[in-house]
Amino acid sequence: MIYDRNSVNYFDAIKSLENLQRGKIRTNFEKIKEALKELDNPHEKFSSIHIAGTNGKGSTAAMVHSILTEAGYKSGIYTSPHILDFSERIRVSCKPIPKRTVTGYVKKLNSLFKKYKCTYFEAATIISFVYFYEQSVDIAVVETGMGGTWDATSLVNPIITVITDVGLEHTRYLGNTVKEIAAEKGGIIKANTDCIAVASNTEAVNILKQIAKSKKACYYTVYRYASAKPVKMDIYGTSFSYKQKNCSLQNLFIPLTGLHQIKNAKAAVFTVNKLKEKGFLINDKHIISGLRNLNISGRFEIIARRPYVICDVGHNPDAFQAIKKTIIKIFPSKKIYLIFGAKSDKDFLSMIRIIKPVCKEIAGVRLNDKQSYDPEILIPLFKKTKVRYSYFDSCREGLKFFLKNTAKDDIIVSAGSHLIVEETMKYFQRL
């Protein structure tokens, strides 16, 4: 076989994307707009739902997408970041974009990415837009990467925007207060569209209302129009009832554990009911099966048993409050061992302070990433507590230590970053 030096395989394609301006944040759309214009603006040729927020946007997006797929719509979804593979980010009817298709797009579009100095996220966003257009999707669920106002995904013209919980995160880029961050998230609100808000924080709600009013968008705060009550929750999922005007659903089930996931599901059901008002043919059976058949990784997910090893992508204080509440509810008398890894730009001190009271021992581990925090920084927090603390240079070392020194009925939780979940999952894949 003759080697074609111009050929690109999937591994090379992903490396090429990663070699773009990863981590760079733009505060304008000039470059990506020009790039999309060269491609005849594919993002303007399909309907979309745009979702922003600090926590819950990935789960909410996945639920809406799953319900649309159950209803027979060819639905796209674009989320970030991925856990194990880039193809997780872009799916149509719940199926990941084929790796050969990613390879083909990178080969075809790489010169465009370089011409406009696209960031990694911008390039991935362009690929998703082109793929959804070429797949002739009926509608796409598009999740922001960070913020909203200047996020590359904000170039879509959605029929509905959804803003999940708003909290402090990415303060370096989005602002130091909930009001400032809400204003950035609210940047996705478009004129004369429906805006569905999950946020319950008064400051956030007031800002989002003001933005919606200024753009003549119809604004709905979910908790005012719909209610959801938990029925049963265990390690395998959560059952709940849902009620809003002209819609009452009993014993809905999502294969996700945590009261916060009921809040996300409530937002998803409210959103698809708004789609019904716009002519989408979605019935109660589609909602029930869409939630039940949901497939999303890294949300209080069991990846091993005896002992249980549970992964969660939570990476900010609000997310760790949710993890803590779930642990208390599901494992009130179990010994909890935490594998903790985070990026240095996250509020990892607050995360540890929140989760520490429910842990017997914590292993701080260094991520396989140059942005990893230094786990030795946490040592002073444990000097006068009964919670033991150890630190390791890798997730693998921390996992091996806990698996050797825990009993079969203990619980190991791995959380703090998408990267720690990735490294934990890969460890068990190799066993």
Side-chain angles (χ1 to χ4, degrees):
M1 179 182 291
I2 298 175
Y3 176 72
D4 178 4
R5 69 173 62 211
N6 293 315
S7 67
V8 179
N9 61 33
Y10 182 69
F11 177 82
D12 293 334
I14 299 304
K15 282 295 180 185
S16 178
L17 290 175
E18 291 174 346
N19 287 335
L20 296 172
Q21 300 178 65
R22 191 162 194 168
K24 183 174 180 180
I25 308 297
R26 290 196 204 275
T27 55
N28 63 73
F29 295 134
E30 182 181 345
K31 295 295 183 183
I32 189 172
K33 268 188 172 181
E34 291 177 10
L36 286 167
K37 188 176 181 180
E38 279 202 28
L39 298 170
D40 199 23
N41 294 317
H43 59 296
E44 296 178 355
K45 297 176 181 177
F46 54 83
S47 296
S48 63
I49 298 168
H50 199 194
I51 302 182
T54 304
N55 289 307
K57 61 183 184 290
S59 296
T60 303
M63 292 175 194
V64 173
H65 173 67
S66 184
I67 293 168
L68 284 166
T69 300
E70 290 289 333
Y73 288 98
K74 194 171 188 180
S75 168
I77 183 170
Y78 175 55
T79 60
S80 63
H82 61 270
I83 295 177
L84 295 175
D85 188 83
F86 177 88
S87 62
E88 298 167 23
R89 294 174 177 241
I90 306 168
R91 285 161 282 160
V92 169
S93 299
C94 297
K95 296 178 182 178
I97 183 172
K99 293 181 179 180
R100 65 179 180 278
T101 303
V102 176
T103 303
Y105 281 142
V106 173
K107 185 175 181 180
K108 177 182 177 181
L109 300 173
N110 203 36
S111 59
L112 186 80
F113 298 153
K114 291 179 178 178
K115 178 180 177 180
Y116 293 105
K117 298 181 179 179
C118 291
T119 66
Y120 174 89
F121 183 73
E122 287 173 339
T125 302
I126 289 170
I127 289 172
S128 75
F129 290 165
V130 173
Y131 185 60
F132 294 154
Y133 165 64
E134 292 186 348
Q135 288 291 304
S136 300
V137 298
D138 298 311
I139 188 168
V141 183
V142 179
E143 177 196 6
T144 61
M146 183 181 72
T149 303
W150 299 114
D151 194 88
T153 63
S154 288
L155 291 171
V156 295
N157 294 310
I159 56 175
I160 294 176
T161 58
V162 181
I163 301 174
T164 62
D165 262 336
V166 176
L168 293 175
E169 191 184 31
H170 300 299
T171 53
R172 178 181 172 188
Y173 303 104
L174 305 181
N176 294 311
T177 67
V178 170
K179 290 174 68 174
E180 290 175 317
I181 292 173
E184 283 297 317
K185 306 292 184 184
I188 73 166
I189 299 172
K190 299 292 194 297
N192 303 310
T193 60
D194 289 342
C195 173
I196 296 169
V198 181
S200 55
N201 179 286
T202 303
E203 289 184 317
V205 168
N206 289 339
I207 290 294
L208 296 174
K209 278 184 178 178
Q210 289 172 20
I211 296 171
K213 185 177 180 180
S214 70
K215 296 185 178 181
K216 297 181 179 179
C218 296
Y219 180 84
Y220 303 92
T221 304
V222 175
Y223 70 81
R224 291 190 60 190
Y225 293 90
S227 62
K229 294 183 179 180
V231 175
K232 180 184 176 183
M233 184 171 72
D234 58 27
I235 195 63
Y236 302 105
T238 306
S239 298
F240 64 100
S241 62
Y242 176 91
K243 191 172 184 178
Q244 74 177 86
K245 188 177 180 180
N246 300 323
C247 179
S248 181
L249 299 167
Q250 303 298 317
N251 289 316
L252 293 171
F253 175 80
I254 45 174
L256 300 175
T257 301
L259 295 177
H260 58 293
Q261 293 295 357
I262 296 178
K263 194 173 187 178
N264 297 330
K266 183 167 68 170
V269 176
F270 190 84
T271 300
V272 297
N273 280 335
K274 278 295 166 191
L275 286 175
K276 287 167 66 175
E277 294 177 11
K278 296 179 183 297
F280 282 74
L281 302 177
I282 303 169
N283 61 38
D284 291 352
K285 288 183 179 179
H286 299 144
I287 294 172
I288 293 166
S289 58
L291 293 178
R292 180 173 290 276
N293 296 329
L294 178 69
N295 184 15
I296 184 171
S297 292
R299 275 69 177 178
F300 214 78
E301 179 183 6
I302 302 169
I303 61 167
R305 290 175 171 80
R306 298 181 59 81
Y308 275 124
V309 178
I310 296 169
C311 284
D312 197 288
V313 296
H315 54 274
N316 56 51
D318 287 344
F320 265 63
Q321 288 285 7
I323 294 170
K324 178 182 176 180
K325 289 178 182 177
T326 305
I327 288 172
I328 291 170
K329 181 70 175 177
I330 302 297
F331 304 117
S333 59
K334 296 288 187 179
K335 294 177 182 177
I336 307 298
Y337 295 81
L338 175 71
I339 301 281
F340 180 77
K343 289 189 175 183
S344 58
D345 63 342
K346 302 298 180 183
D347 189 1
F348 54 84
L349 291 175
S350 293
M351 288 189 265
I352 285 295
R353 289 191 179 103
I354 288 165
I355 203 76
K356 187 172 64 170
V358 298
C359 297
K360 181 176 179 60
E361 185 168 356
I362 295 175
V365 303
R366 195 181 304 276
L367 298 174
N368 184 26
D369 187 277
K370 63 182 180 181
Q371 295 182 40
S372 175
Y373 84 124
D374 180 356
E376 291 187 51
I377 290 174
L378 298 179
I379 292 174
L381 287 179
F382 294 87
K383 283 189 175 179
K384 295 182 179 180
T385 68
K386 294 181 180 179
V387 181
R388 296 195 298 266
Y389 179 74
S390 306
Y391 61 91
F392 300 89
D393 284 333
S394 71
C395 176
R396 181 180 181 84
E397 289 180 25
L399 281 167
K400 288 173 71 175
F401 174 77
F402 274 167
L403 290 171
K404 183 179 179 181
N405 293 285
T406 54
K408 297 297 183 184
D409 60 346
D410 291 336
I411 310 296
I412 299 172
V413 177
S414 182
S417 167
H418 277 74
L419 290 172
I420 194 72
V421 171
E422 175 189 4
E423 292 177 25
T424 302
M425 287 182 172
K426 285 182 176 178
Y427 175 86
F428 284 96
Q429 284 181 349
R430 296 188 191 103
L431 295 181

